[in-house]
Amino acid sequence: MSNVDVFVIANMDVITLFRTYPEFQTILFEWLMQAYHKQWALKSARYQMAAKERYLFFLKEYAGLEDMVSDRFLASFLDMSPETLSRQKRCLREEKPD
């Protein structure tokens, strides 16, 4: 939901980069580990947290994205029904002091 640049590197070019620049392997490994940790945190949230905790996790990890994504997609992403998401939002609004 934000501007990104996507690039494609041919397999043979990657092999050449690995052979020529060993630090390329380190960078690629770091990217893969970051993606792994982010995916693991999301899976843990979906399977180990209650609905309210999952919603709060989303608000923290993906700050500002809530207004860009429809509730239907957000509920699906958080593995809950749209009705449950709506209840969680309402409860948080009621808890928040004005």
Side-chain angles (χ1 to χ4, degrees):
M1 299 305 298
S2 62
N3 293 332
V4 297
D5 292 323
V6 177
F7 61 93
V8 177
I9 303 174
N11 286 342
M12 290 308 296
D13 292 337
V14 171
I15 292 169
T16 301
L17 285 170
F18 278 156
R19 290 182 181 148
T20 309
Y21 305 101
E23 57 272 7
F24 185 74
Q25 289 178 332
T26 304
I27 292 169
L28 184 59
F29 179 74
E30 287 176 16
W31 288 345
L32 289 172
M33 288 307 297
Q34 288 173 8
Y36 169 78
H37 288 295
K38 194 153 188 102
Q39 184 67 21
W40 183 256
L42 181 58
K43 283 190 180 283
S44 295
R46 290 180 73 185
Y47 297 111
Q48 296 176 0
M49 294 180 181
K52 180 179 178 180
E53 293 171 313
R54 287 195 307 262
Y55 181 58
L56 291 172
F57 169 84
F58 174 82
L59 293 176
K60 179 183 169 205
E61 292 294 316
Y62 302 95
L65 194 58
E66 176 189 14
D67 298 328
M68 297 181 190
V69 179
S70 76
D71 283 354
R72 183 173 59 111
F73 292 125
L74 178 53
S76 176
F77 179 75
L78 295 173
D79 198 28
M80 63 179 76
S81 69
E83 294 81 11
T84 300
L85 177 61
S86 180
R87 276 193 299 276
Q88 299 310 316
K89 287 179 153 187
R90 186 182 72 242
C91 288
L92 285 176
R93 278 193 306 270
E94 291 171 357
E95 288 177 9
K96 188 186 280 187
D98 291 326

XYZ file of all heavy atoms in Angstrom:
828
model
N 0.808 -1.181 0.000
C 0.000 0.000 0.000
C 0.860 1.258 0.000
O 0.428 2.300 0.432
C -0.925 -0.001 1.204
C -1.900 -1.164 1.261
S -2.935 -1.391 -0.192
C -3.859 0.111 -0.219
N 2.083 1.126 -0.465
C 2.952 2.294 -0.550
C 3.786 2.178 -1.814
O 3.860 1.127 -2.440
C 3.843 2.403 0.685
O 4.679 1.281 0.775
N 4.424 3.261 -2.195
C 5.274 3.239 -3.379
C 6.512 2.398 -3.115
O 7.158 2.549 -2.082
C 5.691 4.659 -3.749
C 4.509 5.485 -4.210
O 3.551 4.945 -4.734
N 4.585 6.782 -4.004
N 6.792 1.526 -4.043
C 7.976 0.677 -3.921
C 8.623 0.551 -5.290
O 7.988 0.792 -6.322
C 7.636 -0.741 -3.401
C 7.061 -0.687 -2.012
C 6.697 -1.470 -4.333
N 9.870 0.186 -5.289
C 10.572 -0.149 -6.515
C 10.803 -1.652 -6.519
O 11.210 -2.228 -5.507
C 11.928 0.562 -6.592
C 11.791 2.059 -6.748
O 10.863 2.488 -7.455
O 12.608 2.794 -6.167
N 10.501 -2.286 -7.626
C 10.701 -3.720 -7.770
C 11.740 -3.939 -8.851
O 11.697 -3.296 -9.904
C 9.375 -4.430 -8.164
C 9.601 -5.906 -8.377
C 8.313 -4.186 -7.106
N 12.669 -4.815 -8.568
C 13.666 -5.117 -9.582
C 13.835 -6.618 -9.684
O 13.583 -7.352 -8.740
C 14.997 -4.418 -9.290
C 15.635 -4.825 -7.985
C 16.571 -5.846 -7.940
C 15.300 -4.171 -6.810
C 17.158 -6.210 -6.747
C 15.883 -4.528 -5.614
C 16.818 -5.552 -5.581
N 14.248 -7.039 -10.843
C 14.442 -8.457 -11.128
C 15.894 -8.651 -11.546
O 16.422 -7.885 -12.345
C 13.500 -8.922 -12.267
C 13.750 -10.376 -12.600
C 12.047 -8.685 -11.886
N 16.501 -9.688 -10.973
C 17.880 -10.018 -11.327
C 17.878 -11.440 -11.877
O 17.375 -12.354 -11.221
C 18.819 -9.933 -10.118
C 18.768 -8.535 -9.494
C 20.238 -10.282 -10.516
C 19.559 -8.405 -8.211
N 18.422 -11.596 -13.050
C 18.484 -12.926 -13.669
C 19.338 -13.863 -12.813
O 20.294 -13.429 -12.157
C 19.060 -12.828 -15.073
N 18.991 -15.146 -12.801
C 19.707 -16.133 -11.992
C 21.212 -16.130 -12.257
O 22.008 -16.197 -11.328
C 19.150 -17.534 -12.239
C 17.812 -17.733 -11.583
O 17.439 -16.993 -10.685
N 17.071 -18.730 -12.044
N 21.601 -16.057 -13.512
C 23.037 -16.073 -13.829
C 23.726 -14.823 -13.278
O 24.873 -14.894 -12.836
C 23.256 -16.190 -15.347
C 22.888 -17.557 -15.916
S 23.679 -18.951 -15.040
C 25.393 -18.630 -15.398
N 23.037 -13.700 -13.282
C 23.609 -12.482 -12.711
C 23.795 -12.627 -11.205
O 24.779 -12.138 -10.642
C 22.742 -11.274 -13.035
C 22.750 -10.935 -14.519
O 23.719 -11.320 -15.215
O 21.794 -10.286 -14.975
N 22.848 -13.271 -10.553
C 22.963 -13.490 -9.107
C 24.161 -14.377 -8.813
O 24.951 -14.093 -7.894
C 21.667 -14.106 -8.536
C 21.856 -14.541 -7.092
C 20.512 -13.131 -8.651
N 24.331 -15.432 -9.580
C 25.483 -16.322 -9.385
C 26.785 -15.553 -9.581
O 27.728 -15.688 -8.794
C 25.387 -17.539 -10.335
C 24.211 -18.425 -9.910
C 26.691 -18.328 -10.339
C 23.848 -19.502 -10.897
N 26.826 -14.720 -10.586
C 28.023 -13.902 -10.827
C 28.263 -12.950 -9.655
O 29.400 -12.786 -9.204
C 27.865 -13.099 -12.139
O 27.656 -14.022 -13.214
C 29.092 -12.260 -12.411
N 27.197 -12.334 -9.167
C 27.337 -11.438 -8.020
C 27.843 -12.186 -6.785
O 28.691 -11.679 -6.042
C 26.001 -10.762 -7.705
C 25.570 -9.655 -8.652
C 24.124 -9.254 -8.369
C 26.483 -8.443 -8.532
N 27.335 -13.390 -6.556
C 27.802 -14.197 -5.425
C 29.291 -14.477 -5.526
O 30.012 -14.428 -4.539
C 27.050 -15.530 -5.355
C 25.703 -15.448 -4.688
C 24.733 -16.383 -4.984
C 25.406 -14.466 -3.757
C 23.492 -16.335 -4.368
C 24.167 -14.409 -3.130
C 23.207 -15.351 -3.449
N 29.748 -14.812 -6.708
C 31.169 -15.145 -6.905
C 32.067 -13.914 -6.827
O 33.176 -13.982 -6.316
C 31.355 -15.842 -8.251
C 30.770 -17.235 -8.277
C 31.022 -17.917 -9.594
N 30.422 -19.251 -9.584
C 29.927 -19.843 -10.635
N 29.951 -19.249 -11.809
N 29.406 -21.043 -10.548
N 31.572 -12.808 -7.345
C 32.386 -11.599 -7.413
C 32.384 -10.818 -6.105
O 33.412 -10.283 -5.693
C 31.869 -10.675 -8.538
O 31.757 -11.452 -9.745
C 32.818 -9.529 -8.778
N 31.217 -10.747 -5.467
C 31.066 -9.944 -4.254
C 30.485 -10.801 -3.127
O 29.265 -10.925 -2.998
C 30.137 -8.756 -4.502
C 30.552 -7.876 -5.643
C 29.922 -7.975 -6.885
C 31.573 -6.950 -5.493
C 30.305 -7.163 -7.946
C 31.976 -6.137 -6.543
C 31.328 -6.250 -7.761
O 31.707 -5.458 -8.804
N 31.340 -11.376 -2.295
C 30.838 -12.213 -1.190
C 29.881 -11.456 -0.257
O 28.983 -12.054 0.328
C 32.103 -12.621 -0.437
C 33.212 -12.414 -1.399
C 32.787 -11.328 -2.329
N 30.050 -10.134 -0.139
C 29.160 -9.370 0.743
C 27.716 -9.368 0.230
O 26.780 -9.143 0.995
C 29.669 -7.934 0.935
C 29.858 -7.146 -0.320
C 31.236 -7.306 -0.978
O 32.042 -8.133 -0.547
O 31.474 -6.591 -1.954
N 27.535 -9.653 -1.055
C 26.186 -9.755 -1.618
C 25.418 -10.887 -0.941
O 24.222 -10.767 -0.671
C 26.256 -9.960 -3.134
C 24.918 -9.968 -3.808
C 24.205 -8.791 -3.982
C 24.367 -11.151 -4.275
C 22.963 -8.788 -4.604
C 23.133 -11.166 -4.901
C 22.434 -9.981 -5.066
N 26.105 -11.985 -0.660
C 25.472 -13.101 0.041
C 25.008 -12.672 1.432
O 23.919 -13.027 1.871
C 26.434 -14.276 0.179
C 26.724 -14.977 -1.111
C 27.725 -16.106 -0.935
O 28.563 -16.070 -0.041
N 27.631 -17.105 -1.802
N 25.829 -11.889 2.108
C 25.481 -11.413 3.443
C 24.238 -10.538 3.399
O 23.327 -10.684 4.217
C 26.657 -10.622 4.057
O 27.813 -11.462 4.058
C 26.350 -10.172 5.467
N 24.184 -9.625 2.444
C 23.030 -8.735 2.310
C 21.769 -9.540 2.007
O 20.723 -9.335 2.623
C 23.284 -7.686 1.212
C 24.387 -6.731 1.648
C 22.008 -6.931 0.877
C 24.890 -5.838 0.534
N 21.876 -10.461 1.057
C 20.717 -11.284 0.703
C 20.250 -12.108 1.892
O 19.047 -12.205 2.174
C 21.046 -12.193 -0.478
C 19.898 -13.027 -1.014
C 18.745 -12.142 -1.469
C 20.369 -13.897 -2.164
N 21.182 -12.684 2.634
C 20.830 -13.469 3.815
C 20.122 -12.597 4.850
O 19.127 -13.007 5.445
C 22.079 -14.112 4.429
C 21.797 -14.905 5.654
C 21.181 -16.148 5.565
C 22.123 -14.416 6.908
C 20.897 -16.878 6.706
C 21.843 -15.141 8.050
C 21.234 -16.371 7.947
N 20.596 -11.374 5.060
C 19.959 -10.467 6.017
C 18.533 -10.139 5.587
O 17.622 -10.100 6.412
C 20.781 -9.191 6.171
C 22.064 -9.400 6.952
C 22.927 -8.158 7.031
O 22.423 -7.039 6.759
O 24.112 -8.298 7.373
N 18.319 -9.891 4.307
C 16.964 -9.625 3.796
C 16.046 -10.817 4.034
O 14.902 -10.663 4.446
C 16.991 -9.291 2.315
C 17.547 -7.952 1.985
C 17.775 -6.900 2.822
C 17.948 -7.515 0.689
N 18.304 -5.847 2.122
C 18.421 -6.185 0.809
C 17.967 -8.107 -0.561
C 18.893 -5.455 -0.273
C 18.438 -7.381 -1.642
C 18.893 -6.069 -1.490
N 16.561 -11.997 3.746
C 15.751 -13.202 3.941
C 15.411 -13.406 5.415
O 14.285 -13.781 5.760
C 16.466 -14.424 3.383
C 16.562 -14.497 1.865
C 17.465 -15.654 1.442
C 15.193 -14.652 1.245
N 16.364 -13.153 6.306
C 16.111 -13.314 7.734
C 15.110 -12.279 8.240
O 14.253 -12.593 9.061
C 17.417 -13.229 8.528
C 18.311 -14.449 8.344
S 17.477 -16.035 8.660
C 17.066 -15.888 10.375
N 15.178 -11.053 7.736
C 14.195 -10.039 8.116
C 12.789 -10.463 7.685
O 11.827 -10.333 8.454
C 14.541 -8.686 7.498
C 15.733 -8.018 8.119
C 16.131 -6.754 7.365
O 15.436 -6.294 6.460
N 17.270 -6.200 7.741
N 12.684 -10.968 6.470
C 11.385 -11.428 5.971
C 10.881 -12.611 6.801
O 9.692 -12.685 7.141
C 11.499 -11.814 4.495
N 11.787 -13.523 7.148
C 11.417 -14.683 7.964
C 10.880 -14.239 9.322
O 9.839 -14.714 9.779
C 12.625 -15.604 8.144
C 12.418 -16.669 9.179
C 11.670 -17.807 8.894
C 12.947 -16.533 10.464
C 11.463 -18.788 9.859
C 12.744 -17.492 11.424
C 12.005 -18.615 11.122
O 11.789 -19.578 12.073
N 11.584 -13.324 9.987
C 11.158 -12.872 11.311
C 9.816 -12.142 11.256
O 8.968 -12.321 12.134
C 12.229 -11.978 11.946
C 13.433 -12.739 12.387
N 13.411 -13.690 13.383
C 14.713 -12.704 11.946
C 14.600 -14.203 13.548
N 15.422 -13.629 12.682
N 9.615 -11.349 10.226
C 8.336 -10.640 10.082
C 7.204 -11.650 9.854
O 6.127 -11.536 10.439
C 8.420 -9.656 8.921
C 7.283 -8.675 8.916
C 7.724 -7.401 8.245
C 6.699 -6.346 8.377
N 6.982 -5.369 9.388
N 7.447 -12.645 9.015
C 6.436 -13.673 8.748
C 6.152 -14.498 9.997
O 4.999 -14.817 10.289
C 6.906 -14.577 7.598
C 5.905 -15.619 7.176
C 4.671 -15.006 6.527
O 4.692 -13.885 6.052
N 3.594 -15.742 6.503
N 7.195 -14.827 10.748
C 7.017 -15.607 11.972
C 6.207 -14.817 13.002
O 5.326 -15.365 13.662
C 8.368 -16.002 12.557
C 8.216 -16.856 13.770
C 8.388 -16.477 15.062
C 7.815 -18.226 13.817
N 8.123 -17.522 15.913
C 7.781 -18.618 15.169
C 7.496 -19.167 12.838
C 7.424 -19.894 15.567
C 7.149 -20.439 13.245
C 7.116 -20.795 14.588
N 6.480 -13.511 13.136
C 5.728 -12.677 14.073
C 4.255 -12.627 13.686
O 3.374 -12.718 14.547
C 6.320 -11.264 14.114
N 3.988 -12.517 12.400
C 2.604 -12.483 11.935
C 1.901 -13.808 12.193
O 0.771 -13.844 12.685
C 2.559 -12.135 10.442
C 1.183 -12.046 9.820
C 0.319 -11.007 10.530
C 1.300 -11.707 8.345
N 2.565 -14.921 11.901
C 1.952 -16.231 12.153
C 1.714 -16.440 13.646
O 0.668 -16.948 14.050
C 2.820 -17.351 11.596
C 2.709 -17.513 10.106
C 3.410 -18.780 9.665
C 3.308 -18.948 8.184
N 2.014 -19.424 7.760
N 2.668 -16.040 14.462
C 2.504 -16.168 15.912
C 1.308 -15.347 16.385
O 0.528 -15.808 17.212
C 3.767 -15.702 16.639
O 4.842 -16.548 16.338
N 1.190 -14.151 15.862
C 0.063 -13.300 16.243
C -1.253 -13.954 15.857
O -2.204 -13.975 16.646
C 0.197 -11.922 15.579
N -1.317 -14.493 14.649
C -2.575 -15.070 14.173
C -2.996 -16.301 14.966
O -4.182 -16.546 15.161
C -2.469 -15.434 12.700
C -2.415 -14.199 11.813
C -2.307 -14.553 10.375
N -3.593 -15.064 9.908
C -3.785 -15.546 8.701
N -2.796 -15.598 7.851
N -4.972 -15.971 8.340
N -2.028 -17.094 15.429
C -2.380 -18.358 16.063
C -2.262 -18.358 17.579
O -2.736 -19.279 18.229
C -1.545 -19.493 15.473
C -1.836 -19.687 14.006
C -0.887 -19.384 13.039
C -3.086 -20.126 13.581
C -1.161 -19.530 11.682
C -3.372 -20.278 12.237
C -2.403 -19.983 11.291
O -2.687 -20.123 9.959
N -1.628 -17.331 18.155
C -1.434 -17.341 19.601
C -2.099 -16.168 20.318
O -2.109 -16.134 21.535
C 0.067 -17.332 19.928
C 0.779 -18.574 19.449
C 2.276 -18.526 19.696
O 2.798 -17.562 20.237
N 2.966 -19.575 19.292
N -2.623 -15.216 19.578
C -3.211 -14.041 20.211
C -4.722 -14.023 20.032
O -5.238 -14.524 19.033
C -2.638 -12.759 19.597
C -1.191 -12.528 19.853
S -0.685 -10.974 19.072
C 1.040 -10.956 19.477
N -5.377 -13.408 21.003
C -6.822 -13.191 20.900
C -7.068 -12.102 19.860
O -6.147 -11.389 19.445
C -7.375 -12.762 22.253
N -8.315 -11.959 19.442
C -8.668 -11.011 18.381
C -8.211 -9.590 18.708
O -7.644 -8.897 17.860
C -10.175 -11.039 18.133
N -8.431 -9.150 19.931
C -8.038 -7.796 20.315
C -6.521 -7.623 20.215
O -6.032 -6.621 19.704
C -8.501 -7.485 21.739
C -8.131 -6.109 22.214
C -8.654 -5.862 23.618
C -8.245 -4.503 24.132
N -8.751 -4.259 25.487
N -5.778 -8.607 20.694
C -4.319 -8.545 20.630
C -3.831 -8.518 19.188
O -2.870 -7.822 18.864
C -3.708 -9.735 21.360
C -3.930 -9.729 22.852
C -3.495 -11.020 23.490
O -3.843 -12.109 22.964
O -2.798 -10.956 24.509
N -4.486 -9.296 18.316
C -4.092 -9.304 16.896
C -4.317 -7.935 16.272
O -3.489 -7.442 15.507
C -4.879 -10.366 16.121
C -4.438 -11.766 16.418
C -4.961 -12.764 15.395
N -6.391 -12.714 15.188
C -7.266 -13.528 15.759
N -6.855 -14.455 16.592
N -8.543 -13.420 15.495
N -5.442 -7.321 16.600
C -5.736 -5.998 16.049
C -4.723 -4.978 16.557
O -4.206 -4.164 15.788
C -7.167 -5.590 16.397
C -7.551 -4.250 15.838
C -7.494 -3.997 14.471
C -7.948 -3.216 16.673
C -7.829 -2.752 13.955
C -8.295 -1.981 16.164
C -8.231 -1.749 14.802
O -8.556 -0.522 14.295
N -4.396 -5.015 17.843
C -3.395 -4.099 18.399
C -2.020 -4.350 17.778
O -1.258 -3.412 17.521
C -3.331 -4.232 19.920
C -4.565 -3.727 20.673
C -4.478 -4.092 22.148
C -4.738 -2.233 20.472
N -1.700 -5.623 17.529
C -0.450 -5.980 16.860
C -0.396 -5.340 15.475
O 0.618 -4.756 15.082
C -0.349 -7.513 16.749
C 0.750 -8.002 15.860
C 2.042 -8.128 16.342
C 0.499 -8.350 14.541
C 3.066 -8.586 15.518
C 1.508 -8.804 13.715
C 2.796 -8.926 14.210
N -1.499 -5.434 14.751
C -1.557 -4.839 13.416
C -1.352 -3.328 13.491
O -0.589 -2.755 12.709
C -2.895 -5.149 12.742
C -3.069 -4.443 11.427
C -2.502 -4.958 10.287
C -3.769 -3.253 11.348
C -2.634 -4.302 9.069
C -3.910 -2.588 10.148
C -3.342 -3.115 9.003
N -2.033 -2.670 14.425
C -1.914 -1.225 14.551
C -0.475 -0.809 14.848
O -0.004 0.220 14.359
C -2.845 -0.706 15.653
C -4.342 -0.826 15.373
C -5.135 -0.362 16.583
C -4.739 -0.063 14.124
N 0.218 -1.619 15.625
C 1.613 -1.307 15.968
C 2.557 -1.593 14.803
O 3.390 -0.760 14.443
C 2.033 -2.116 17.193
C 3.461 -1.881 17.617
C 3.827 -2.770 18.787
C 5.318 -2.721 19.004
N 5.815 -3.905 19.658
N 2.436 -2.766 14.226
C 3.372 -3.201 13.183
C 3.141 -2.515 11.837
O 4.069 -2.365 11.048
C 3.292 -4.719 12.995
C 3.809 -5.504 14.165
C 5.298 -5.332 14.377
O 6.064 -5.360 13.399
O 5.685 -5.163 15.551
N 1.905 -2.155 11.561
C 1.558 -1.575 10.266
C 0.870 -0.227 10.467
O -0.210 0.026 9.926
C 0.650 -2.527 9.486
C 1.270 -3.883 9.253
C 1.015 -4.960 10.105
C 2.129 -4.093 8.182
C 1.585 -6.198 9.895
C 2.710 -5.329 7.968
C 2.428 -6.380 8.832
O 3.002 -7.600 8.604
N 1.504 0.627 11.257
C 0.928 1.932 11.603
C 0.563 2.715 10.338
O 1.328 2.794 9.388
C 1.916 2.732 12.444
N -0.651 3.267 10.340
C -1.130 4.073 9.227
C -1.784 3.291 8.104
O -2.425 3.867 7.235
N -1.644 1.989 8.107
C -2.195 1.176 7.023
C -3.692 0.922 7.194
O -4.396 0.673 6.217
C -1.434 -0.149 6.933
C -1.621 -0.983 5.690
C -1.226 -0.207 4.440
C -0.802 -2.253 5.773
N -4.170 1.031 8.416
C -5.581 0.732 8.701
C -6.534 1.564 7.842
O -7.560 1.070 7.385
C -5.874 0.979 10.178
C -7.321 0.787 10.526
C -7.659 1.244 11.927
O -6.846 1.954 12.538
O -8.746 0.891 12.385
N -6.188 2.825 7.612
C -7.061 3.707 6.838
C -6.980 3.462 5.335
O -7.783 3.985 4.580
C -6.718 5.170 7.133
C -6.939 5.516 8.598
O -7.851 4.920 9.208
O -6.194 6.364 9.127
N -6.010 2.688 4.902
C -5.818 2.430 3.471
C -6.427 1.116 3.011
O -6.565 0.880 1.826
C -4.317 2.412 3.141
C -3.608 3.694 3.387
S -1.889 3.463 2.899
C -1.146 4.931 3.531
N -6.764 0.250 3.960
C -7.248 -1.093 3.632
C -8.678 -1.237 4.141
O -8.990 -0.807 5.251
C -6.345 -2.159 4.287
C -6.836 -3.548 3.984
C -4.905 -1.990 3.839
N -9.528 -1.850 3.342
C -10.912 -2.052 3.788
C -10.944 -3.022 4.968
O -10.069 -3.879 5.120
C -11.775 -2.589 2.645
O -11.520 -3.958 2.432
N -11.962 -2.864 5.800
C -12.100 -3.728 6.973
C -12.221 -5.200 6.585
O -11.760 -6.070 7.314
C -13.308 -3.301 7.810
C -13.035 -2.059 8.627
O -11.874 -1.586 8.647
O -13.975 -1.549 9.257
N -12.822 -5.454 5.463
C -12.978 -6.844 5.012
C -11.613 -7.497 4.783
O -11.361 -8.617 5.225
C -13.799 -6.873 3.725
C -14.082 -8.257 3.195
C -15.030 -8.188 2.018
N -14.493 -7.389 0.931
C -14.103 -7.893 -0.233
N -14.230 -9.181 -0.468
N -13.616 -7.123 -1.171
N -10.703 -6.776 4.121
C -9.364 -7.323 3.870
C -8.543 -7.379 5.151
O -7.788 -8.324 5.375
C -8.638 -6.509 2.810
C -9.244 -6.629 1.444
C -9.632 -5.508 0.750
C -9.433 -7.865 0.847
C -10.202 -5.616 -0.508
C -9.995 -7.993 -0.403
C -10.384 -6.857 -1.084
N -8.704 -6.363 5.987
C -7.979 -6.344 7.249
C -8.412 -7.509 8.136
O -7.577 -8.193 8.726
C -8.208 -5.007 7.970
C -7.556 -4.834 9.326
C -6.071 -5.131 9.269
C -7.807 -3.433 9.841
N -9.707 -7.749 8.207
C -10.216 -8.876 9.001
C -9.663 -10.196 8.475
O -9.236 -11.050 9.255
C -11.739 -8.889 8.976
N -9.638 -10.353 7.172
C -9.097 -11.576 6.580
C -7.619 -11.732 6.916
O -7.159 -12.813 7.282
C -9.297 -11.549 5.064
O -8.705 -12.670 4.466
N -6.870 -10.646 6.817
C -5.447 -10.661 7.128
C -5.210 -11.074 8.582
O -4.269 -11.802 8.882
C -4.855 -9.272 6.864
C -3.390 -9.145 7.159
C -2.448 -9.698 6.312
C -2.955 -8.451 8.279
C -1.099 -9.570 6.572
C -1.608 -8.318 8.549
C -0.671 -8.883 7.689
N -6.089 -10.623 9.467
C -5.954 -10.929 10.892
C -6.652 -12.219 11.300
O -6.709 -12.550 12.477
C -6.497 -9.755 11.722
C -5.709 -8.456 11.582
C -6.421 -7.324 12.306
C -4.288 -8.624 12.081
N -7.199 -12.928 10.327
C -7.854 -14.212 10.563
C -9.034 -14.075 11.529
O -9.147 -14.795 12.509
C -6.847 -15.241 11.081
C -7.352 -16.668 10.928
O -8.152 -16.911 9.998
O -6.965 -17.526 11.726
N -9.903 -13.100 11.209
C -11.127 -12.925 11.991
C -12.232 -12.472 11.050
O -11.954 -12.041 9.931
C -10.920 -11.919 13.133
C -10.574 -10.513 12.708
S -10.371 -9.336 14.068
C -8.792 -9.768 14.725
N -13.452 -12.557 11.510
C -14.575 -12.115 10.687
C -14.640 -10.591 10.719
O -14.165 -9.959 11.669
C -15.877 -12.712 11.194
O -16.207 -12.130 12.441
N -15.249 -9.985 9.689
C -15.427 -8.534 9.710
C -16.217 -8.054 10.929
O -15.941 -6.986 11.470
C -16.185 -8.244 8.412
C -15.820 -9.366 7.503
C -15.678 -10.566 8.410
N -17.164 -8.872 11.391
C -17.946 -8.513 12.564
C -17.068 -8.457 13.811
O -17.198 -7.558 14.646
C -19.097 -9.516 12.779
C -20.141 -9.497 11.687
C -19.749 -10.288 10.439
O -18.733 -11.040 10.470
O -20.448 -10.138 9.423
N -16.169 -9.426 13.941
C -15.251 -9.442 15.085
C -14.333 -8.229 15.049
O -14.102 -7.580 16.071
C -14.413 -10.742 15.090
O -15.305 -11.854 15.188
C -13.429 -10.769 16.245
N -13.824 -7.897 13.872
C -12.979 -6.713 13.742
C -13.755 -5.464 14.141
O -13.237 -4.615 14.878
C -12.453 -6.580 12.316
C -11.621 -5.329 12.041
C -10.373 -5.295 12.914
C -11.254 -5.246 10.567
N -14.980 -5.352 13.694
C -15.810 -4.206 14.033
C -16.003 -4.098 15.546
O -15.917 -3.010 16.123
C -17.163 -4.319 13.325
O -17.974 -3.227 13.645
N -16.228 -5.235 16.200
C -16.379 -5.236 17.664
C -15.092 -4.783 18.350
O -15.123 -4.018 19.314
C -16.765 -6.631 18.167
C -18.240 -6.918 18.103
C -18.600 -8.166 18.902
N -17.931 -9.373 18.417
C -18.370 -10.132 17.417
N -19.483 -9.807 16.774
N -17.708 -11.210 17.059
N -13.959 -5.253 17.848
C -12.671 -4.874 18.443
C -12.432 -3.376 18.306
O -11.971 -2.718 19.248
C -11.518 -5.658 17.806
C -11.596 -7.153 17.977
C -11.834 -7.563 19.408
O -11.227 -7.046 20.339
N -12.753 -8.496 19.611
N -12.747 -2.836 17.139
C -12.592 -1.390 16.925
C -13.484 -0.602 17.871
O -13.058 0.390 18.468
C -12.917 -1.027 15.474
C -11.863 -1.440 14.490
C -12.309 -1.039 13.105
C -11.132 -0.813 12.211
N -11.526 -0.272 10.907
N -14.733 -1.048 17.993
C -15.674 -0.363 18.877
C -15.199 -0.413 20.325
O -15.200 0.604 21.032
C -17.075 -0.959 18.755
C -18.123 -0.176 19.552
C -19.508 -0.778 19.491
N -19.534 -2.005 20.289
C -19.784 -3.223 19.812
N -20.060 -3.407 18.541
N -19.772 -4.275 20.594
N -14.750 -1.570 20.770
C -14.263 -1.712 22.151
C -13.069 -0.793 22.409
O -12.985 -0.165 23.472
C -13.882 -3.158 22.445
S -15.284 -4.269 22.609
N -12.167 -0.705 21.467
C -11.009 0.174 21.636
C -11.416 1.644 21.678
O -10.855 2.423 22.446
C -9.975 -0.063 20.537
C -9.161 -1.346 20.676
C -8.238 -1.534 19.488
C -8.353 -1.326 21.964
N -12.383 2.021 20.840
C -12.875 3.407 20.870
C -13.506 3.731 22.216
O -13.311 4.804 22.774
C -13.901 3.641 19.756
C -13.296 3.927 18.412
C -14.345 4.445 17.444
N -15.515 3.600 17.315
C -15.658 2.600 16.440
N -14.683 2.329 15.585
N -16.764 1.890 16.393
N -14.248 2.770 22.763
C -14.903 2.980 24.047
C -13.914 3.030 25.201
O -14.125 3.729 26.179
C -15.949 1.885 24.285
C -17.137 1.993 23.359
C -18.070 0.798 23.439
O -17.764 -0.166 24.179
O -19.104 0.825 22.753
N -12.807 2.283 25.096
C -11.779 2.270 26.135
C -10.953 3.557 26.125
O -10.450 3.967 27.157
C -10.824 1.094 25.934
C -11.405 -0.236 26.259
C -10.438 -1.371 25.962
O -9.250 -1.094 25.667
O -10.858 -2.533 26.035
N -10.775 4.139 24.934
C -9.917 5.310 24.789
C -10.564 6.528 25.436
O -11.682 6.884 25.077
C -9.664 5.578 23.307
C -8.629 6.661 23.055
C -8.531 6.996 21.593
C -7.704 5.991 20.850
N -7.465 6.406 19.455
N -9.854 7.168 26.377
C -10.419 8.404 26.952
C -10.363 9.537 25.959
O -9.419 9.661 25.202
C -9.508 8.676 28.160
C -8.239 7.964 27.852
C -8.598 6.807 26.953
N -11.375 10.383 25.924
C -11.434 11.489 24.965
C -10.604 12.653 25.385
O -10.225 13.033 26.331
C -12.868 11.950 24.741
C -13.647 10.874 23.987
O -13.043 10.197 23.157
O -14.855 10.746 24.248
